[in-house]
Amino acid sequence: MSLLDRHTDFLAALRERGIAVSTAEGIDAARALTAVDLLDREAVRVAYAATLVKRHHDIAVFNALFDLWFPPALGDASTTDGPAVDIDVEVTGAHGTSPELHSMRTELAQALYTGNDSALLQLARQALSRYGSTPGSWSPRAALEQLDPTTLLAGLMRTAEGQARPRTTTGTATRSRFTRRIARFEQLVSDEARRRIAKRKGERYAADNLTAPALDQVPFLAASQTELAAIRRAIRPLARQLATRIHRERRHGTRSTTLDFRRTLRSALATGGVPITPRHRPHRPHKPELVVLCDVSSSVANFAHFALLLVHALHEVFSRTRVFAFVREVHEVTDHLHRGRDAAEALAEVRRATLQLPGTGTDHGRVFTDFAADHAHLLTPRTVLVILGDARNNNYDPAPEVLASLTQRCRRTLWLNPEPRDRWGTGDSATPTYQELVEMAECRNLAQLSDLVQSLR
């Protein structure tokens, strides 16, 4: 594969994994490569990153794909090239191992203690070849289970505490340093496995099967606990930025087309009575009202959490916001999301409150009927009604006529569905019925959620 082909294929892979790369940015990257030494792999990485990566949470995906398309030399080095270690590092854990494995764990403990990244890389390659090789592939998990690097932490800590030197760091800082180095070694083993699989089966195979998507492309309903925590950290600043942007655009929106006759005549005095510059009345757009109906059943709990977090940030954009949670009965949770309250605290209280909601299966027909009976007066021609949920009705009566009556009272009704579109209408899904009545949009990840919330302006 030529350098140009590798370049274009790399850009295509970035786009497929959710990183927006335009044609112009691809050209900029190619121009940046002419300014660096192509034999310096790190310089090539920096040139690509500077021209293509625009969001912080895209860096991990970019690095993973860069390692596939521009890998370092593969091989099983048998020696380390780091500085010699004069300290006997205590080796803990993995009792009863073979002499060969004990020797490698001793080398690993020394490399972790000194922070020798080059030695860690060599050991990652050795470990993967000896303990992670499977027929036709490599398993980083198998290699790490044999070495079990996390059990070395106790020995590293005791060795550090026993050194006769002035204490310059706390025990917490020392533990944190060694923990980061262990995580770095585990990442090196995983990266090495991914590079070798890419060499055997191709970069596309490795990208599709071994590379995690960008954070804003991770499906809410399939996210791991680690990914959920990362999304939670990313969504808070996004929510604030989104609310600020919408508020600014509404405040400084397009001017009114209504002519201000008195101001026009007054300004014409400076031009001899000729109204050269017409004056218009200032644009004062009204703030719409927002009513949210949120399914908090276990099947969509993750999606509901992040959607409500964005709703919390939009209080200043809407003149009035009312939020209702439901499983089979409707309960208002607006008081937990009032202005000026910390978002994390508010969402935690909503979760505690909604965990007590009765019902084991969502009944949308009953929910819409109860809402129409008790809260229909909240819906006006200024209201935007947002429904959050997967529209799975557990084969109850969907009561479409009730939802139709609610939507007729509103300015706009938008249903955000976290399920993939190809699953709509399968099983107990009432999506086809509701889709004929309201605007329903797929909302599987953070990128889609932010785009759809922004459309509420």
Side-chain angles (χ1 to χ4, degrees):
M1 181 184 292
S2 66
L3 180 59
L4 178 58
D5 291 338
R6 189 168 293 275
H7 170 79
T8 56
D9 205 34
F10 176 54
L11 298 185
L14 290 174
R15 296 187 186 103
E16 291 172 2
R17 306 308 289 178
I19 299 179
V21 178
S22 66
T23 302
E25 289 169 337
I27 295 173
D28 290 341
R31 289 174 176 169
L33 294 179
T34 64
V36 301
D37 182 3
L38 295 180
L39 297 180
D40 186 344
R41 182 170 176 270
E42 187 58 30
V44 172
R45 182 196 296 271
V46 171
Y48 270 120
T51 51
L52 303 179
V53 180
K54 299 172 285 294
R55 300 177 300 180
H56 176 74
H57 57 259
D58 288 339
I59 293 177
V61 177
F62 167 83
N63 286 334
L65 294 176
F66 182 87
D67 288 343
L68 292 178
W69 264 261
F70 302 93
L74 293 174
D76 298 326
S78 58
T79 60
T80 61
D81 54 0
V85 179
D86 296 329
I87 302 171
D88 290 331
V89 181
E90 182 180 351
V91 180
T92 54
H95 298 292
T97 58
S98 65
E100 179 187 31
L101 180 56
H102 179 75
S103 175
M104 183 174 290
R105 296 185 81 250
T106 300
E107 293 182 35
L108 177 59
Q110 293 177 336
L112 291 171
Y113 187 83
T114 60
N116 188 339
D117 200 64
S118 178
L120 289 176
L121 176 58
Q122 304 295 344
L123 287 167
R125 294 177 176 177
Q126 292 179 30
L128 193 64
S129 294
R130 296 181 188 178
Y131 306 111
S133 180
T134 62
S137 186
W138 287 269
S139 171
R141 177 177 297 180
L144 291 172
E145 285 179 352
Q146 287 292 321
L147 286 176
D148 203 4
T150 56
T151 60
L152 296 172
L153 180 60
L156 294 170
M157 290 293 296
R158 284 200 287 266
T159 302
E161 292 171 357
Q163 294 304 304
R165 64 169 182 261
R167 297 294 181 86
T168 58
T169 58
T170 63
T172 302
T174 302
R175 177 180 293 274
S176 177
R177 182 172 68 253
F178 289 142
T179 300
R180 288 195 304 270
R181 291 175 183 175
I182 292 173
R184 168 64 176 160
F185 174 74
E186 293 174 343
Q187 186 63 47
L188 288 172
V189 175
S190 298
D191 291 346
E192 183 67 17
R194 188 162 50 240
R195 284 193 289 267
R196 295 189 184 193
I197 293 173
K199 184 178 181 180
R200 172 169 293 184
K201 298 186 177 182
E203 293 87 355
R204 286 287 177 180
Y205 176 88
D208 293 340
N209 295 278
L210 304 175
T211 305
L215 187 61
D216 62 352
Q217 301 294 325
V218 175
F220 291 125
L221 303 185
S224 65
Q225 291 301 317
T226 302
E227 289 171 332
L228 289 176
I231 294 173
R232 190 175 296 109
R233 290 192 297 270
I235 201 173
R236 292 176 185 172
L238 172 65
R240 290 193 297 269
Q241 294 170 8
L242 188 60
T244 301
R245 185 188 310 136
I246 296 175
H247 183 66
R248 185 187 303 116
E249 291 176 356
R250 178 167 289 140
R251 186 178 58 191
H252 301 292
T254 56
R255 70 183 182 183
S256 170
T257 57
T258 304
L259 180 69
D260 190 327
F261 188 72
R262 295 182 62 182
R263 292 181 62 225
T264 300
L265 290 181
R266 188 179 299 113
S267 66
L269 296 176
T271 56
V274 180
I276 296 177
T277 305
R279 303 294 182 180
H280 297 82
R281 293 178 180 175
H283 183 56
R284 295 188 178 91
H286 69 272
K287 290 183 178 182
E289 300 167 354
L290 179 66
V291 175
V292 180
L293 274 172
C294 183
D295 183 358
V296 293
S297 60
S298 58
S299 61
V300 291
N302 291 338
F303 167 68
H305 177 85
F306 295 119
L308 288 177
L309 193 58
L310 277 181
V311 169
H312 178 270
L314 295 178
H315 273 302
E316 295 183 359
V317 178
F318 296 88
S319 61
R320 184 177 62 178
T321 304
R322 302 288 289 272
V323 183
F324 298 84
F326 67 86
V327 177
R328 297 193 65 191
E329 297 179 0
V330 181
H331 297 264
E332 185 168 6
V333 295
T334 307
D335 290 343
H336 302 310
L337 300 172
H338 60 72
R339 289 183 177 89
R341 188 172 189 180
D342 178 72
E345 179 185 349
L347 267 295
E349 188 167 326
V350 169
R351 175 161 295 194
R352 287 193 296 270
T354 55
L355 284 175
Q356 309 301 321
L357 296 189
T360 57
T362 306
D363 184 350
H364 290 88
R366 176 178 176 178
V367 167
F368 295 146
T369 301
D370 292 348
F371 183 83
D374 299 333
H375 307 289
H377 64 279
L378 299 176
L379 306 181
T380 69
R382 293 181 55 183
T383 304
V384 177
L385 173 62
V386 178
I387 304 173
L388 310 174
D390 58 6
R392 293 202 170 271
N393 205 42
N394 296 285
N395 298 314
Y396 293 115
D397 178 15
E401 68 284 353
V402 180
L403 179 60
S405 67
L406 293 176
T407 59
Q408 291 173 0
R409 303 172 64 96
C410 302
R411 173 182 178 183
R412 179 186 181 188
T413 301
L414 177 62
W415 190 314
L416 306 186
N417 192 327
E419 282 197 332
R421 191 176 295 272
D422 56 11
R423 293 184 57 190
W424 292 6
T426 62
D428 60 350
S429 174
T431 301
T433 301
Y434 294 135
Q435 198 174 4
E436 296 178 356
L437 304 174
V438 301
E439 177 186 356
M440 186 173 291
E442 181 184 80
C443 187
R444 296 190 299 114
N445 52 50
L446 188 57
Q448 291 179 336
L449 178 60
S450 59
D451 289 343
L452 289 168
V453 172
Q454 188 168 237
S455 74
L456 296 179
R457 63 188 175 184

